[in-house]
Amino acid sequence: MSVKFLIPSSLLQLFLLLGALAALASAVPRPDNPPVYGAPPPTYKQPGMPFDFAYAVRDDYSGNDYAHQQTSDGHVTSGSYYVVLPDGRTEMVSFEADHDNGFVANVAYEGEARYPAPAPSYHPPPPSYHPPAPSYHAPAPSYPPPPPHPHK
């Protein structure tokens, strides 16, 4: 008794095509040495984009007070910002930056630092109880008082 397996012709064609592609891929010549990469091409400074912005925040509840403004013509960027410091002074910074001089800042402070005296952070709570009332009366003396001293 013999068993015959029938393979559809489309499946047989697929196996033949895959085998042919594998043979072709293995037959492609490979270089003996890996490719040599040179230095990347030089990059040139891109022209800057002009911009202008400003914002300010003043929130009395949280104590935040600061602002920032900045402009650029594409070559030179300049601006300023300020912030109120926790010690009460205001720090003001004005700056200018370009590719020739770098970042140049002028920092100034306005006002005088104030450091409040520290307040005690803990106060003991009032007692939640009262001293108990005595539960007994003072006893009556059980002996007579001593006689007066003879030398008095």
Side-chain angles (χ1 to χ4, degrees):
M1 182 178 196
S2 70
V3 178
K4 291 185 178 180
F5 291 105
L6 296 175
I7 299 175
S9 64
S10 62
L11 188 59
L12 183 60
Q13 288 173 350
L14 178 65
F15 283 134
L16 287 175
L17 179 63
L18 287 175
L21 286 175
L24 181 65
S26 66
V28 172
R30 289 185 246 167
D32 291 336
N33 295 325
V36 178
Y37 297 102
T43 57
Y44 300 99
K45 185 178 82 166
Q46 297 292 320
M49 296 291 294
F51 65 85
D52 184 11
F53 74 86
Y55 65 85
V57 173
R58 181 167 188 166
D59 182 20
D60 293 330
Y61 178 74
S62 66
N64 285 324
D65 187 2
Y66 54 91
H68 183 185
Q69 71 83 27
Q70 190 168 326
T71 60
S72 175
D73 61 1
H75 301 288
V76 177
T77 300
S78 61
S80 65
Y81 63 88
Y82 78 88
V83 61
V84 175
L85 300 173
D87 64 8
R89 297 178 298 160
T90 301
E91 179 183 60
M92 297 169 295
V93 179
S94 59
F95 60 89
E96 189 170 285
D98 60 21
H99 287 284
D100 296 324
N101 299 317
F103 184 83
V104 179
N106 180 22
V107 181
Y109 293 92
E110 187 176 272
E112 190 169 325
R114 293 181 311 269
Y115 301 102
S121 61
Y122 173 75
H123 300 289
S128 59
Y129 62 90
H130 299 291
S135 60
Y136 62 90
H137 298 291
S142 59
Y143 52 86
H149 196 276
H151 299 301
K152 285 189 174 182

